[in-house]
Amino acid sequence: MDGSTNSLDDVSAESSTEFPDRLSLMEVRLQAQEDEITLLKSSLADALRKLRLHDQQIPLLKQQLIAVNPAAARVLNQSCYVDGFARSCRLSSSSLDGFHHTSNSHISNTAENGEGGAKTISSHKPSTCDRCAQTEPWIPNHETVPLALTQAAQILSLEDALTESIPFADETLIKLRREEEDVDEVESGKDQTWSSIVEDAIQPTTIRTLQKQLSKGSEDSQGSCPQTPTSSSPAPPKEPTSNPHGGLLSPIREGEKMLVRRNSEKSRDSQEKTKQRLSKKAASSTNLLTRSPSLESRAKDLISSTGSQGSRRGTQSQSIKMFIRGRPITMYIPSNILNYEELRMDLPLQKLDLDWVYGYRGRDCRANLYLLPSGEAVYFIACVVVLYHIRNQTQRHYQKHTDCVRCLAIHPDKVRVASGQTAGVDKDGKPLQPFVHIWDSKTLVTLQQIGLGTFERGVGALTFSSSDAGTLLCVIDDSNEHMLSVWDWNKNIKHVEVKSTNEAILAVDFSPTDTNNIISCGKSHVYFWTMSTGTLTKKQGIFGKYKKPKFVLCFVFSLTGDVLTGDSEGNILTWGKSAADTKTLGKGAKETFQIMKQTRAHEGSVFAMCVLQGGAILSGGGKDRKVIRWSADLAPERECEIPEKFGAVRTIADVDGEELLVGTTRNAILRGTFSDGFVAIVQGHVDEMWGLATHPTQNIFISCGNDRQVCVWNAEDHKLDWCTTLEESGLCADFSPNGAVVSVGLSTGRWVVLDLQTKEVVSDLTDGNEQLSVMRYSPDGSFLAVGSHDNLIYIYNVTEGGRRYTRFGKCTGHSSFITHLDWSKDGKYIMSNSGDYEILYWDVASGCKLLRNRFESKDREWASYTCVLGFHVMGVWLEGSDGTDINALCRSHSESMVAVADDFCKVHLFQYPCPKPKAPSYKYEGHGSHVTNVRFTHNDSHLLSMGGKDTCILQWRVKGAAPGDHSKEHLASSSSVCSSSSSPVNGT
């Protein structure tokens, strides 16, 4: 029974481990199918619109053909019943001189006779409904159809309907297009322009060959099939009056406006039915598709091959199309751009330089805070190692890492520093190789890079040897076996490498008296390593009668040479070497490491330990948040408790024996003494951040995130002014134009307004029950727009200086959640983006009305530009982007540059506007996670970028051109001048 139970447990465990893989595989397949559905629907919609346009042109072209050559009417009508199939070739219901058409019942066939006269015959055929009900095709006297006429009908082209002397008016096609667009707007409620290509008008061609074939066919028909008029035939048509354009074409032109309107109204119902049928087919056709990596490119070629770039409305309203996840997005070219193709995209005149780093990584890293003799505290966050001068309050930055820094070690000379990073992934999701950098803290010059291609996943712990002046470096990586390696870092030579354990390792260090002895600790273990002749052997510490802790979190060497460990049980254990127990274990017994003493230190875990110069020991607690000073024999001397808002003690650094630096689990660095207490000198968020806003007149900015904290920062003093904790996560924020209040959108549909002076909530409202994604005040502060994940934009009237809000209306029309929005400079209109890559425009002043004609908004000026989709920022998107590669962007107040936050830990700086693909940019690294937001300060002197999971805010100094410089003049001039220089490469 026990055996079967164990086997079932094994199967259950195995299936549970396989379940995430199966689930992820199903998600990938589902996403692929959704991509194919979107691509197919867009292609079908484009084809449907072209068919609709052509269907409206056919009746008019037929009538013009009949007007030029009446014999063509018989050819067209009889060709509808070739090979026993009743093809739909109905002529227009409009009446012309000499012709009378009875809808769906009688069609008159007119042909020239050999003597120049005209005879008419009438053949009755069933109505459309009757034909649909028949089981056999209805063939109206198909035996009498001459073969010559049938062949002529098969080769007949509507483009050949006009003679060379009769030009086809371009206005006809333009009117057809406008009529078709009006129908689309009425049906869909908004202008969704799927094509941006100019379809050329049909040009006149010669019909001499056709006339010869028709003349020959008429002669054959007179000989083989004589025709007699019937009583039901109408009177023969009158001879048309002569005119220079071919007789009957003039009345067609005079009434073509009425003709187009009639055709549009009569065919609207049938077009709507056809559109519905094609939509249903688009949904079901994806089941017939097989996965093809070139599906998207083939669809692009199909759509783009129909013509050159331009607008459906003609060259006066040109538009550009870009694709995201196979979906075409049409953007209209502003009027001030004279020649889009000759626009020159340059690098921006400005550059960025890292000025300040807000935050510290203490929540999941240990032993990452040290004090250098220069008075600088060394710590890290994201991809940056920060050297913060405590007294001068200045920062320097080591920025050579390509992904998040995980560990830090100081050389015995207190100058050189070793820092290890995680592996990370590149843009395509492929893992990158981790490494360790050894660098000079005075010059920030990299001295050595070791381990590239050796370490896996990342570097978890490292330390310099101390007894030999720091010649060796011990590194433990994050692979499954946690490989331990010892390097001569000066020569970049690996002395030895060995598998340590499958359990997590949290700390490693050399013995201060013997380089050949190394100690490591981690989950439920303490290992004592001995290095000899290129090999490493380990001995596990024996807990014996003492309770084995779940984690051994830290250790230090006392001045007497003993090893002191702090564990998750709150104890400090003293380890010593004992002689071999030959009586119990026999002659082969070896010496062991056992616990000599146990000291109860903290309630909860012992997270950190530090040895002072006089031999005293410091310990930091987790649950009790205490820092305790112990004598050399572990007698408690002094203690101090860290404020609860800063979290537990993560690491301790000695300043001068009295003053201490304490890193906490809530990403803060505290400075203080046992007698005076501790104050924060570095603070940051502790969870993913999304909300970022800058003050309209001061160097102040606000941040909020999933840790429910709202923080107001001073960008000049580089300090946290104040912080408050909300009930829910804050995801977006915006300052009112007067700078007195700030609104914060939360994850539950609720939003609050905070007074910057009193720090109190002055307004608390709720819109829907889904998270809010954007808050934006109008330029004059009279309106507030709230974008929600329920696909709506809520508009509020703002009064009493931003302290009172009343609902004005809501913008309804998006089919996905709102991502970004901006106000026009006059405060009357809104431009918004949604999660399905849609760009919509709203007339707020007229009652939150959706502007169906997006073409009318092409010249509108915007007070801010944060929408990631738009003509002026189209060039920031890389080819092949999937729509989530760019999280945010922000145009400078000078309107000369635009900063972009991407999903690959990079900040980009582009020239503004940048409406052409592959626009060059400067690229900046520093974040270790997706960059969620960017904002310029009020005078464009600095740019702020916010990381997601790295909880880091980077402040960049803008260098180069003066903030008042504009590039609009350059863009307008370059649009009319062709540049022969090559495109600049992307900056680094």
Side-chain angles (χ1 to χ4, degrees):
M1 187 66 179
D2 295 340
S4 62
T5 303
N6 292 335
S7 63
L8 289 175
D9 292 341
D10 294 340
V11 172
S12 175
E14 184 176 357
S15 61
S16 63
T17 57
E18 293 177 356
F19 178 74
D21 296 335
R22 294 178 181 175
L23 182 59
S24 61
L25 182 60
M26 292 176 64
E27 290 177 351
V28 170
R29 291 178 178 175
L30 180 59
Q31 185 63 47
Q33 291 178 356
E34 290 178 352
D35 295 345
E36 292 176 353
I37 291 173
T38 303
L39 180 60
L40 184 59
K41 284 185 177 180
S42 63
S43 300
L44 287 175
D46 190 68
L48 179 60
R49 293 174 186 273
K50 289 182 173 59
L51 288 174
R52 184 179 300 171
L53 182 62
H54 294 161
D55 287 345
Q56 292 181 358
Q57 294 174 356
I58 287 175
L60 183 58
L61 292 174
K62 284 183 178 180
Q63 293 167 6
Q64 291 180 348
L65 175 61
I66 295 170
V68 175
N69 192 350
R74 178 178 178 181
V75 175
L76 287 173
N77 289 324
Q78 290 186 354
S79 65
C80 298
Y81 306 101
V82 178
D83 300 330
F85 292 94
R87 302 182 184 175
S88 176
C89 291
R90 289 188 302 167
L91 295 177
S92 171
S93 60
S94 302
S95 59
L96 297 175
D97 292 348
F99 291 90
H100 177 72
H101 305 281
T102 303
S103 176
N104 295 332
S105 59
H106 290 79
I107 294 183
S108 298
N109 297 332
T110 305
E112 293 183 3
N113 56 20
E115 300 175 354
K119 296 182 180 180
T120 60
I121 65 172
S122 176
S123 59
H124 175 77
K125 67 178 181 178
S127 65
T128 304
C129 298
D130 296 338
R131 291 200 305 272
C132 294
Q134 289 179 347
T135 57
E136 296 294 334
W138 180 80
I139 306 174
N141 301 327
H142 66 279
E143 299 86 352
T144 63
V145 178
L147 180 60
L149 289 179
T150 302
Q151 293 175 348
Q154 290 176 345
I155 66 173
L156 182 63
S157 173
L158 291 177
E159 290 183 342
D160 300 328
L162 303 178
T163 61
E164 294 179 354
S165 62
I166 303 176
F168 184 74
D170 293 339
E171 291 81 0
T172 302
L173 186 57
I174 295 174
K175 291 179 180 179
L176 283 171
R177 289 176 181 152
R178 290 176 179 171
E179 193 75 15
E180 184 263 343
E181 288 177 354
D182 293 340
V183 173
D184 288 346
E185 292 180 356
V186 172
E187 291 175 350
S188 63
K190 52 189 175 183
D191 188 326
Q192 295 179 338
T193 304
W194 291 99
S195 176
S196 63
I197 38 187
V198 179
E199 299 181 9
D200 297 332
I202 300 176
Q203 300 298 326
T205 59
T206 181
I207 59 169
R208 296 173 183 174
T209 305
L210 177 61
Q211 289 176 340
K212 292 179 181 180
Q213 293 175 352
L214 291 176
S215 298
K216 183 179 179 181
S218 299
E219 294 174 359
D220 294 341
S221 63
Q222 288 178 359
S224 60
C225 184
Q227 301 176 359
T228 57
T230 62
S231 59
S232 61
S233 299
K238 297 180 181 180
E239 191 69 20
T241 59
S242 61
N243 62 62
H245 299 293
L248 291 176
L249 188 58
S250 294
I252 293 178
R253 286 182 173 175
E254 293 174 358
E256 69 178 4
K257 183 175 182 180
M258 183 178 298
L259 176 65
V260 171
R261 185 178 296 112
R262 290 177 181 177
N263 288 337
S264 176
E265 293 174 354
K266 285 231 173 191
S267 60
R268 183 175 300 174
D269 294 338
S270 61
Q271 291 170 359
E272 183 64 26
K273 294 179 180 179
T274 304
K275 182 178 179 180
Q276 293 177 357
R277 289 197 300 269
L278 287 178
S279 299
K280 293 179 180 179
K281 288 184 178 181
S284 60
S285 297
T286 54
N287 297 328
L288 305 177
L289 292 175
T290 56
R291 182 64 176 170
S292 172
S294 61
L295 179 63
E296 180 176 345
S297 60
R298 285 190 281 111
K300 291 180 184 178
D301 296 339
L302 177 65
I303 296 175
S304 61
S305 63
T306 57
S308 59
Q309 283 188 344
S311 170
R312 295 177 57 195
R313 299 176 183 267
T315 56
Q316 294 181 352
S317 57
Q318 287 184 343
S319 61
I320 302 300
K321 182 190 298 181
M322 66 176 289
F323 287 83
I324 294 183
R325 296 179 70 92
R327 176 170 184 171
I329 302 175
T330 302
M331 302 176 187
Y332 292 98
I333 302 176
S335 302
N336 63 341
I337 296 182
L338 305 179
N339 193 332
Y340 174 80
E341 294 299 331
E342 295 177 359
L343 284 179
R344 185 175 68 251
M345 293 291 99
D346 296 328
L347 288 167
L349 299 177
Q350 303 86 350
K351 292 185 178 181
L352 301 180
D353 189 21
L354 185 59
D355 178 49
W356 199 265
V357 177
Y358 298 90
Y360 155 77
R361 185 167 181 173
R363 69 188 189 279
D364 59 352
C365 292
R366 295 168 173 80
N368 60 351
L369 177 62
Y370 299 93
L371 187 70
L372 300 179
S374 62
E376 294 173 305
V378 183
Y379 59 93
F380 59 78
I381 184 172
C383 303
V384 183
V385 182
V386 181
L387 295 92
Y388 172 53
H389 198 288
I390 298 175
R391 297 190 183 277
N392 297 339
Q393 297 185 2
T394 58
Q395 281 188 356
R396 295 188 298 142
H397 311 101
Y398 180 76
Q399 298 177 254
K400 301 300 182 181
H401 284 282
T402 60
D403 214 290
C404 287
V405 183
R406 289 291 309 279
C407 52
L408 203 63
I410 304 298
H411 193 272
D413 63 8
K414 304 295 184 181
V415 174
R416 287 171 284 190
V417 179
S419 51
Q421 71 168 58
T422 188
V425 294
D426 62 6
K427 181 179 178 182
D428 299 325
K430 298 179 181 178
L432 299 175
Q433 295 177 336
F435 53 80
V436 173
H437 273 176
I438 296 94
W439 46 280
D440 191 308
S441 63
K442 293 181 177 180
T443 63
L444 301 181
V445 174
T446 303
L447 305 176
Q448 191 66 267
Q449 175 180 284
I450 67 171
L452 188 65
T454 300
F455 307 135
E456 295 184 15
R457 298 183 182 173
V459 180
L462 74 168
T463 184
F464 283 102
S465 59
S466 55
S467 61
D468 60 352
T471 303
L472 301 180
L473 180 72
C474 181
V475 182
I476 298 179
D477 70 6
D478 286 333
S479 63
N480 290 335
E481 296 81 11
H482 294 94
M483 302 297 295
L484 187 150
S485 56
V486 178
W487 299 74
D488 184 337
W489 64 268
N490 274 306
K491 301 177 181 179
N492 200 0
I493 297 175
K494 181 170 60 178
H495 285 325
V496 63
E497 184 178 33
V498 65
K499 297 179 181 179
S500 60
T501 177
N502 290 331
E503 303 291 350
I505 294 182
L506 304 178
V508 64
D509 201 359
F510 285 92
S511 170
T513 58
D514 188 354
T515 305
N516 293 322
N517 291 334
I518 302 173
I519 297 176
S520 65
C521 68
K523 184 177 181 180
S524 302
H525 74 266
V526 178
Y527 289 148
F528 298 84
W529 301 85
T530 302
M531 184 170 56
S532 176
T533 63
T535 61
L536 275 171
T537 57
K538 71 177 178 181
K539 293 182 179 179
Q540 184 169 357
I542 300 175
F543 290 92
K545 63 180 181 179
Y546 299 97
K547 180 181 179 181
K548 189 175 185 178
K550 187 175 182 179
F551 287 97
V552 179
L553 300 168
C554 57
F555 69 90
V556 294
F557 293 93
S558 67
L559 296 183
T560 60
D562 292 332
V563 177
L564 306 179
T565 62
D567 58 40
S568 56
E569 299 296 326
N571 297 321
I572 296 178
L573 303 178
T574 304
W575 297 79
K577 185 185 298 184
S578 62
D581 188 0
T582 56
K583 295 182 179 180
T584 305
L585 303 177
K587 295 182 179 181
K590 300 180 180 179
E591 60 183 7
T592 59
F593 293 89
Q594 296 181 353
I595 299 173
M596 310 301 295
K597 180 182 179 182
Q598 175 178 286
T599 303
R600 183 64 179 175
H602 293 272
E603 180 183 354
S605 300
V606 181
F607 276 160
M609 298 180 69
C610 175
V611 178
L612 303 179
Q613 291 182 354
I617 298 171
L618 298 175
S619 66
K623 187 176 181 180
D624 60 9
R625 306 187 313 279
K626 289 183 179 180
V627 178
I628 302 177
R629 178 185 175 115
W630 307 82
S631 64
D633 58 356
L634 293 180
E637 295 180 347
R638 304 183 70 178
E639 69 177 43
C640 179
E641 184 175 333
I642 300 299
E644 183 178 3
K645 64 179 181 179
F646 298 127
V649 178
R650 177 60 75 190
T651 187
I652 303 173
D654 178 29
V655 176
D656 55 7
E658 181 65 22
E659 187 176 2
L660 304 177
L661 295 179
V662 178
T664 73
T665 57
R666 292 189 63 82
N667 294 346
I669 297 178
L670 312 180
R671 177 190 180 193
T673 62
F674 285 100
S675 56
D676 297 334
F678 292 87
V679 295
I681 59 174
V682 175
Q683 289 180 262
H685 285 269
V686 296
D687 206 344
E688 187 174 16
M689 301 179 294
W690 283 94
L692 177 65
T694 54
H695 195 277
T697 58
Q698 304 176 31
N699 285 326
I700 294 175
F701 66 94
I702 188 172
S703 62
C704 56
N706 291 340
D707 58 1
R708 299 184 290 113
Q709 290 189 111
V710 176
C711 300
V712 177
W713 307 83
N714 190 314
E716 289 184 357
D717 299 336
H718 309 118
K719 290 183 178 180
L720 178 67
D721 279 352
W722 57 271
C723 179
T724 185
T725 302
L726 303 176
E727 297 177 3
E728 296 104 14
S729 300
L731 301 178
C732 51
D734 193 33
F735 283 93
S736 64
N738 62 13
V741 298
V742 61
S743 60
V744 181
L746 308 181
S747 59
T748 59
R750 178 183 166 213
W751 54 278
V752 297
V753 180
L754 302 173
D755 189 298
L756 290 181
Q757 297 298 326
T758 64
K759 309 174 187 178
E760 296 179 353
V761 176
V762 297
S763 185
D764 189 338
L765 297 95
T766 301
D767 289 311
N769 55 5
E770 298 193 38
Q771 70 182 52
L772 303 180
S773 51
V774 57
M775 312 285 292
R776 189 78 67 238
Y777 284 93
S778 61
D780 60 357
S782 60
F783 289 104
L784 172 66
V786 181
S788 172
H789 269 229
D790 62 5
N791 306 352
L792 301 176
I793 301 175
Y794 300 90
I795 308 297
Y796 281 84
N797 271 320
V798 183
T799 55
E800 299 181 9
R803 290 170 173 79
R804 180 178 177 83
Y805 297 81
T806 55
R807 174 77 70 85
F808 176 79
K810 60 182 178 181
C811 301
T812 304
H814 273 292
S815 55
S816 185
F817 57 90
I818 312 300
T819 58
H820 309 83
L821 66 85
D822 292 291
W823 287 89
S824 61
K825 289 186 176 181
D826 58 10
K828 297 180 180 179
Y829 302 93
I830 285 179
M831 170 176 57
S832 58
N833 292 167
S834 60
D836 58 352
Y837 326 123
E838 193 174 37
I839 309 173
L840 294 183
Y841 300 90
W842 312 87
D843 186 348
V844 177
S846 299
C848 304
K849 179 183 177 182
L850 173 65
L851 298 178
R852 297 173 179 174
N853 189 356
R854 293 186 291 119
F855 170 76
E856 297 176 353
S857 300
K858 65 184 179 67
D859 293 327
R860 190 162 286 122
E861 294 185 348
W862 303 100
S864 62
Y865 212 119
T866 61
C867 287
V868 298
L869 294 174
F871 173 80
H872 296 84
V873 296
M874 187 173 62
V876 307
W877 289 89
L878 297 177
E879 188 175 357
S881 297
D882 70 349
T884 61
D885 293 345
I886 294 179
N887 295 316
L889 62 79
C890 181
R891 183 192 66 190
S892 63
H893 298 86
S894 65
E895 301 186 14
S896 62
M897 54 184 167
V898 58
V900 175
D902 72 13
D903 221 30
F904 311 105
C905 315
K906 305 295 188 298
V907 175
H908 299 261
L909 191 66
F910 290 85
Q911 167 192 289
Y912 179 86
C914 52
K916 296 193 72 174
K918 301 180 181 179
S921 69
Y922 291 112
K923 180 177 63 176
Y924 300 95
E925 300 179 344
H927 285 287
S929 177
H930 53 288
V931 187
T932 58
N933 219 331
V934 286
R935 286 292 184 273
F936 285 97
T937 55
H938 71 100
N939 57 0
D940 293 340
S941 62
H942 292 83
L943 173 72
L944 297 157
S945 62
M946 173 181 288
K949 292 293 186 180
D950 64 14
T951 68
C952 175
I953 301 175
L954 301 182
Q955 180 172 310
W956 307 85
R957 184 185 301 107
V958 179
K959 303 187 304 180
D965 288 348
H966 291 256
S967 62
K968 286 185 175 181
E969 296 80 0
H970 164 73
L971 183 65
S973 62
S974 65
S975 64
S976 58
V977 178
C978 181
S979 174
S980 59
S981 61
S982 60
S983 300
V985 296
N986 286 357
T988 57

